[in-house]
Amino acid sequence: TLAAIADKTEHDIASALWPALTAGLIFPLSANYVLAQQTTPEALADLALEFSFAHANIQQALYSLLPESKRELWHWQICQRMLKEISLDEREAKCFDLLNQLNAGLSHIPTNEQRLELADLNLLAGRKAFFSAAHDASYKYTQTGLSLLKEAEAQGVNIWQGHYQLSLNLHIQGATAAYLTNHFDEMNRIGEAV
């Protein structure tokens, strides 16, 4: 994924990460990293190299150095790649991973169709979070879904006629999550829309 986003080869990425690996800033998630320095660039794609940061603060420090516009673009690019690799059947199981990327790159959504798909995915995540008693997360996902509906509506999509079930379900789930997180004004606002 990093190679595709950085527009570099797998070999270039492995070479660039080597100093961070030897310094202990990242660690490999498999033993394949040893082969990365010894194999041909063409064979690297088959190694499935995966690394993780040694500490979350290292990741956060590097992340904070990126300009906001670049962060959003990278999140969008990462997610587009994930969507290509994850089948429709697997999306439900991986909805939180997908939304961590998609929701961070909302400003790069080019079409209303994609906004509606993302609203539906946020509804799914909101429901999953709700049934796990993660009410704050449910509220966050449903609020994002509702804002996507509102944005599509502002661009001429009649969400109540063309996407009634999605709109109704998102509003109901959003109102429920708002109630459970003590956002009563928001709950009333959502209820009035229905």
Side-chain angles (χ1 to χ4, degrees):
T1 302
L2 184 57
I5 292 168
D7 199 25
K8 303 280 184 190
T9 67
E10 300 268 351
H11 192 268
D12 291 341
I13 295 298
S15 296
L17 291 178
W18 195 259
L21 179 67
T22 58
L25 298 174
I26 60 172
F27 62 90
L29 297 177
S30 72
N32 289 347
Y33 78 96
V34 174
L35 301 172
Q37 292 291 322
Q38 302 168 353
T39 191
T40 62
E42 297 78 28
L44 268 174
D46 296 333
L47 291 180
L49 297 173
E50 291 184 338
F51 297 92
S52 183
F53 287 96
H55 194 280
N57 288 347
I58 296 170
Q59 181 180 6
Q60 289 175 342
L62 290 172
Y63 187 77
S64 71
L65 295 174
L66 289 172
E68 183 70 29
S69 61
K70 190 115 177 153
R71 278 187 239 169
E72 289 178 4
L73 180 60
W74 279 18
H75 281 291
W76 180 252
Q77 290 172 336
I78 289 168
C79 194
Q80 292 309 299
R81 184 169 176 94
M82 289 172 70
L83 286 171
K84 288 178 187 171
E85 294 172 358
I86 297 173
S87 71
L88 288 173
D89 296 335
E90 294 176 299
R91 286 187 187 179
E92 181 175 345
K94 296 187 179 198
C95 70
F96 297 118
D97 292 334
L98 284 167
L99 288 173
N100 286 340
Q101 300 300 327
L102 276 168
N103 287 346
L106 289 177
S107 65
H108 294 278
I109 300 175
T111 67
N112 284 323
E113 180 182 332
Q114 288 176 314
R115 280 182 193 85
L116 294 168
E117 287 177 26
L118 183 52
D120 192 44
L121 196 56
N122 273 281
L123 172 61
L124 173 66
R127 284 179 169 163
K128 285 182 75 167
F130 171 79
F131 288 116
S132 297
H135 301 303
D136 288 327
S138 180
Y139 178 75
K140 181 184 86 168
Y141 289 121
T142 55
Q143 287 299 301
T144 301
L146 288 167
S147 71
L148 287 161
L149 287 182
K150 186 176 181 180
E151 191 175 331
E153 192 172 39
Q155 295 186 15
V157 176
N158 188 329
I159 61 168
W160 288 106
Q161 284 190 346
H163 308 279
Y164 178 78
Q165 204 60 52
L166 171 62
S167 298
L168 179 65
N169 291 340
L170 202 43
H171 279 79
I172 291 171
Q173 189 67 46
T176 304
Y179 173 78
L180 292 171
T181 56
N182 298 322
H183 293 96
F184 300 117
D185 289 340
E186 181 64 17
M187 178 196 69
N188 290 330
R189 187 193 66 74
I190 294 170
E192 289 172 6
V194 178

